[in-house]
Amino acid sequence: MAAPEGDLLSKAPQPVQNFVRSTEFFGRVAVIYGAYKATQLKAAVMRLQGSSAEPRVKALWDSQHTWAGEQMYDLAISLRGFYLKAGQFIGARADFVPEQICAKLCLLQDKVPPMAPERATQVLCQELGISDVGEVFEWIDMDTPIGSASISQVHKAQLRRFPRSQLRSLARQERGLMACLTVGPGDSAWSICNSHGISLAELAAANKQVEIDDLQPGQVLKVPVVLGLEHFQHSSSSSSSNGSGSGPLQALSRMLSGNSRLTQQHSSSGGGGGSGSVHSSFSSDRAGSINSTGGLSESECSSSSSSEDWLEPGSSLFAAGQQLGKKANLFGLLTSSSSSSSQANALLIGRSGSSSDATSSSTSRSSSSGQIGLPDVHSPAAAAVAHAAASGSVPDGGLVAVKIQYPGALQTMSIDLVNLRATSAFLQKTELKFDLLSAVEELQKQIHLEFDFMSVPGLVSRRLMVMSFMEGLPLLQLKDKVAHLPQWKREKAARRILARVSEAYGLMILGEGLFQADGHPGNILVQGGGRVALLDYGQSKQLGEEDKRAFADLVLAMSKGDKPAISAALSRLNVSTSKDDVGLRSEMAYGMFDTRGKVDPFDKNSPIKQAAVEHFPPDMFFVLRVVQLLRGMANGMGIDDFSTADQWAPLARQAIQKAERKDSKRRRQQQVQQRLQAQPVYDLAAIAAPLQLTV
Ligand SMILES: Nc1ncnc2c1ncn2[C@@H]1O[C@H](COP(=O)(O)OP(=O)(O)O)[C@@H](O)[C@H]1O
Ligand SMILES: [Mg+2]
């Protein structure tokens, strides 16, 4: 069976790994392909006997699909990496994948064989810097994960309780520290959001005085910074127990206690995508007080100094400030405080002391925190829990889901993406006339963010994340649960759930443009009253304003059935096709961006066989993926008349109106500016003169 954690692979040099994986993959695919060809032949021979052979032909195909489903499942489980992800996606495509294959592959969405409990516990302790799970959790079920999927397994747990009296003193802080970011040439708000993992709304909120739709190179923006667990662990290697070390934690401790004034700047490019240059400055003028920008001022933003390396892009602290847009369901961890920073300071110092020996079981109270009554904090992780509890961000009952990444998974995935690129280039020229390479590039760009859990703040390290536990029935189990209901009731329930999931996506894509792009059934829970919960924000995307607007046009045109407008909207989205036929282009648009009907890209009558999609914009790849997953979900529920375009049309209208209002505001501002610039100086004097007279 599998080499579940990719550990074996990590020991072999990369070219060898590449070769081994590719050979195994193509070898197994060839066997499956060969079996299909043989079945085709057998079926053709059977059919020679006339229509009476049909039931036998059907049985033949059923058993072929069942066998193929098992083979594909085994392939995905033993190779893991990208093949797991691909298997999840194929298993969610009931619209053109045989049901026997879907039934097997959908197990990959939340039932991948997990790590053994001992190994999972070892990874968990290592990531949290603890020696015993009891330091952080009241209990945690390590034996049976709630789910295990492509990159991780998830366990249910309850956070440790701390006495109320001890927590109260920690309870008053929540103002975030900010890092500064200098806009680079060619950067736009959305590219900055995507490369730093924050939403446009968050960027706008942190920069109220800045017109974020019209950024200029050299302009300085603020980006929220939240300290994550790894930051504290990171500091342990370089810290000294008296809190006077040079690590980030010590620096922050000094800063909050007013002993130092700290300004940092780094001019290297931003993490994740090279957007902007980042520098950070934190200051405190008096004990425990952070200035009104939450830690820095504009002038500090533009000052430069040290070469200390603790806030460079890609460092844990910087990463902690990234991806705030994905913080749904996560705890905020300690940041700073303007009102009660002595407590915050004490907490930091408490952590600092403990972080010098993260795994020791001795209670750590620094002398300066003694009178505040810190809980007995044994490790940074325990401090994080205490803080989360103190700041009220622990969910009711302390129930959490602990997501543990499989060690070695990122390495395996990276190797596969290199192989996938080569395969896509081949497929694109032969079987599938679609710009697959753009899609692979987008995946390659995004995948590092998905594996880096530090991109969200809270009780989190790069490979471990603690989230609120969501109650609900996995969508995959719904079928069995409702099997006893009459047909009409099942259908009604299915339509309601589908409509809600789809509505959520419409609101995300056409609302703020920030959306979770991994909506396979393994990531959907059904709650009471048909409410739905979306899990797993690892693959998220922020759409740019232009793309959102063009997509809204497309949705409206599709819901009206206006073919020329559909074709025009495709052009605005930068989708180019080898034929300019409006009918064909609109058929392609429905196939890509609406859920109605069935679409089989391998069917010889499919529009994609008649004309190629020569260019597909990488930024729209995740929208395409969402729509295809929704279509798969609809078909899997036996619904083939559901149209996202129809459902999203009112949202598209709102998005267009909003964009138009923004445009006209910007035009008015530009006109005013132009008029002011055009006004000669002496004219201003002439205007001023009569005013002076009247005064
Ligand atoms: N917050 C949560 N509450 C309840 N169950 C969860 C939660 N997060 C994940 N799960 C379960 O764990 C499974 C795997 O988690 P997920 O985040 O989707 O991992 P992956 O990134 O590997 O796909 C999910 O399919 C779901 O069953
Ligand atoms: Mg998932």
Side-chain angles (χ1 to χ4, degrees):
M1 179 116 127
E5 300 154 32
D7 284 355
L8 289 178
L9 283 167
S10 63
K11 291 189 182 98
Q14 188 147 321
V16 179
Q17 294 170 22
N18 259 338
F19 181 74
V20 171
R21 288 180 77 72
S22 307
T23 320
E24 183 162 0
F25 173 71
F26 287 112
R28 287 178 176 228
V29 167
V31 172
I32 299 171
Y33 183 78
Y36 266 100
K37 286 289 158 194
T39 307
Q40 258 173 1
L41 209 66
K42 270 193 226 161
V45 172
M46 279 178 176
R47 284 206 173 100
L48 292 177
Q49 297 163 6
S51 58
S52 63
E54 270 320 309
R56 279 188 297 128
V57 172
K58 185 178 175 308
L60 178 72
W61 275 113
D62 284 353
S63 80
Q64 163 62 24
H65 292 322
T66 307
W67 174 85
E70 272 156 19
Q71 294 300 308
M72 290 178 185
Y73 174 83
D74 282 350
L75 170 70
I77 290 296
S78 62
L79 288 181
R80 299 177 86 106
F82 178 76
Y83 303 105
L84 271 182
K85 282 221 172 285
Q88 288 181 333
F89 186 73
I90 297 171
R93 295 302 307 276
D95 48 325
F96 74 94
V97 177
E99 62 177 284
Q100 296 86 348
I101 296 181
C102 282
K104 191 73 192 177
L105 292 188
C106 71
L107 294 177
L108 302 174
Q109 290 163 7
D110 69 347
K111 299 232 167 344
V112 171
M115 291 182 269
E118 302 73 38
R119 178 71 172 123
T121 309
Q122 188 191 9
V123 178
L124 181 142
C125 288
Q126 193 180 321
E127 289 299 315
L128 287 181
I130 54 179
S131 54
D132 187 317
V133 292
E135 287 177 49
V136 173
F137 303 108
E138 205 78 38
W139 54 262
I140 178 163
D141 182 356
M142 292 307 295
D143 290 333
T144 321
I146 325 165
S148 44
S150 54
I151 72 168
S152 56
Q153 60 192 61
V154 177
H155 296 263
K156 189 172 179 181
Q158 186 181 32
L159 287 176
R160 208 183 123 179
R161 290 166 211 264
F162 292 90
R164 212 172 266 263
S165 58
Q166 291 182 319
L167 292 176
R168 215 169 285 133
S169 60
L170 302 173
R172 279 165 270 121
Q173 54 67 48
E174 264 318 307
R175 189 191 288 276
L177 289 170
M178 295 279 173
C180 286
L181 177 149
T182 307
V183 177
D187 279 343
S188 62
W190 79 268
S191 69
I192 289 171
C193 284
N194 270 325
S195 56
H196 298 125
I198 56 175
S199 72
L200 280 170
E202 283 165 319
L203 189 67
N207 298 279
K208 290 216 173 78
Q209 312 302 330
V210 180
E211 183 55 71
I212 64 162
D213 291 332
D214 189 24
L215 295 178
Q216 303 301 325
Q219 216 168 348
V220 174
L221 295 181
K222 285 176 232 146
V223 184
V225 173
V226 181
L227 304 185
L229 181 66
E230 182 161 308
H231 159 59
F232 295 98
Q233 289 175 326
H234 181 65
S235 72
S236 65
S237 56
S238 61
S239 67
S240 63
S241 56
N242 63 9
S244 62
S246 61
L249 186 63
Q250 286 71 26
L252 279 165
S253 296
R254 286 199 305 273
M255 170 192 90
L256 286 172
S257 60
N259 293 339
S260 75
R261 187 177 183 86
L262 185 77
T263 305
Q264 310 262 335
Q265 171 156 337
H266 291 272
S267 57
S268 47
S269 70
S275 259
S277 73
V278 177
H279 64 271
S280 296
S281 46
F282 299 93
S283 74
S284 173
D285 295 330
R286 45 182 208 285
S289 133
I290 300 293
N291 67 29
S292 61
T293 59
L296 76 171
S297 63
E298 288 300 337
S299 62
E300 284 163 337
C301 276
S302 56
S303 68
S304 78
S305 65
S306 139
S307 62
E308 278 189 54
D309 65 356
W310 62 270
L311 207 65
E312 65 191 341
S315 79
S316 53
L317 178 56
F318 179 74
Q322 299 183 342
Q323 300 254 338
L324 299 181
K326 298 187 204 168
K327 68 188 168 194
N329 295 327
L330 290 161
F331 310 132
L333 187 55
L334 176 97
T335 53
S336 69
S337 165
S338 57
S339 58
S340 64
S341 49
S342 57
Q343 281 89 344
N345 180 28
L347 181 60
L348 277 165
I349 291 169
R351 284 172 173 175
S352 166
S354 62
S355 66
S356 64
D357 180 7
T359 54
S360 98
S361 58
S362 69
T363 302
S364 66
R365 285 169 193 258
S366 87
S367 55
S368 54
S369 67
Q371 70 274 43
I372 295 174
L374 269 179
D376 288 350
V377 171
H378 296 267
S379 68
V385 179
H387 173 74
S391 56
S393 53
V394 168
D396 280 350
L399 281 186
V400 288
V402 182
K403 179 166 176 168
I404 309 172
Q405 195 179 114
Y406 309 125
L410 173 60
Q411 191 196 10
T412 315
M413 183 69 82
S414 309
I415 294 171
D416 291 346
L417 285 176
V418 173
N419 284 341
L420 184 68
R421 220 190 135 82
T423 315
S424 303
F426 172 75
L427 266 181
Q428 179 169 327
K429 284 198 192 112
T430 53
E431 291 288 316
L432 253 179
K433 294 181 181 159
F434 188 87
D435 180 10
L436 291 172
L437 275 178
S438 295
V440 176
E441 269 161 28
E442 176 70 359
L443 261 181
Q444 272 173 326
K445 249 197 301 180
Q446 193 277 342
I447 212 81
H448 288 273
L449 289 174
E450 181 175 6
F451 278 83
D452 183 1
F453 297 171
M454 271 301 288
S455 51
V456 288
L459 186 53
V460 60
S461 76
R462 272 190 207 292
R463 287 172 293 270
L464 181 133
M465 178 157 52
V466 181
M467 310 167 268
S468 306
F469 173 77
M470 302 296 288
E471 289 289 352
L473 183 71
L475 187 58
L476 292 162
Q477 290 169 23
L478 188 71
K479 215 174 180 174
D480 300 337
K481 277 274 168 192
V482 297
H484 64 283
L485 294 177
Q487 168 73 16
W488 70 269
K489 268 197 174 170
R490 271 184 306 194
E491 201 178 311
K492 194 173 162 203
R495 281 189 183 274
R496 174 182 286 192
I497 290 163
L498 175 64
R500 292 219 164 134
V501 174
S502 167
E503 186 187 7
Y505 277 106
L507 285 166
M508 287 189 280
I509 296 172
L510 291 160
E512 205 185 304
L514 176 69
F515 61 102
Q516 184 262 33
D518 202 9
H520 62 68
N523 288 336
I524 299 169
L525 294 180
V526 181
Q527 302 181 322
R531 281 161 52 89
V532 292
L534 281 183
L535 305 171
D536 193 358
Y537 288 74
Q539 295 198 357
S540 301
K541 177 80 187 171
Q542 170 75 64
L543 270 193
E545 287 299 326
E546 260 305 298
D547 281 341
K548 192 167 77 180
R549 168 78 203 262
F551 184 62
D553 285 342
L554 178 64
V555 167
L556 263 192
M558 287 194 300
S559 82
K560 289 181 196 152
D562 181 345
K563 291 183 184 173
I566 294 174
S567 176
L570 274 191
S571 303
R572 279 191 62 191
L573 278 173
N574 267 328
V575 178
S576 57
T577 49
S578 60
K579 288 187 189 160
D580 216 10
D581 182 301
V582 165
L584 196 59
R585 276 168 67 82
S586 70
E587 217 184 312
M588 285 172 143
Y590 282 113
M592 291 186 283
F593 293 116
D594 188 20
T595 51
R596 71 188 72 178
K598 289 196 176 208
V599 174
D600 180 351
F602 297 101
D603 183 342
K604 61 180 185 311
N605 296 321
S606 93
I608 215 168
K609 291 276 179 199
Q610 296 165 48
V613 176
E614 288 174 328
H615 175 72
F616 189 87
D619 287 322
M620 291 303 290
F621 170 65
F622 280 124
V623 177
L624 174 75
R625 184 184 153 89
V626 163
V627 176
Q628 299 308 316
L629 284 169
L630 286 171
R631 178 192 281 119
M633 185 178 155
N635 280 268
M637 290 171 151
I639 301 169
D640 62 7
D641 58 354
F642 179 78
S643 160
T644 41
D646 288 348
Q647 192 198 36
W648 293 351
L651 299 171
R653 230 169 268 126
Q654 279 170 20
I656 292 169
Q657 283 164 2
K658 206 169 157 193
E660 279 170 354
R661 278 199 299 274
K662 250 186 177 171
D663 277 354
S664 69
K665 189 178 161 200
R666 195 176 309 135
R667 270 198 305 275
R668 275 201 307 276
Q669 281 171 344
Q670 276 168 355
Q671 280 166 2
V672 170
Q673 251 170 7
Q674 277 164 3
R675 241 182 276 143
L676 281 175
Q677 279 164 1
Q679 198 76 262
V681 177
Y682 57 82
D683 269 358
L684 282 175
I687 294 164
L691 280 176
Q692 279 166 7
L693 281 178
T694 35
V695 168

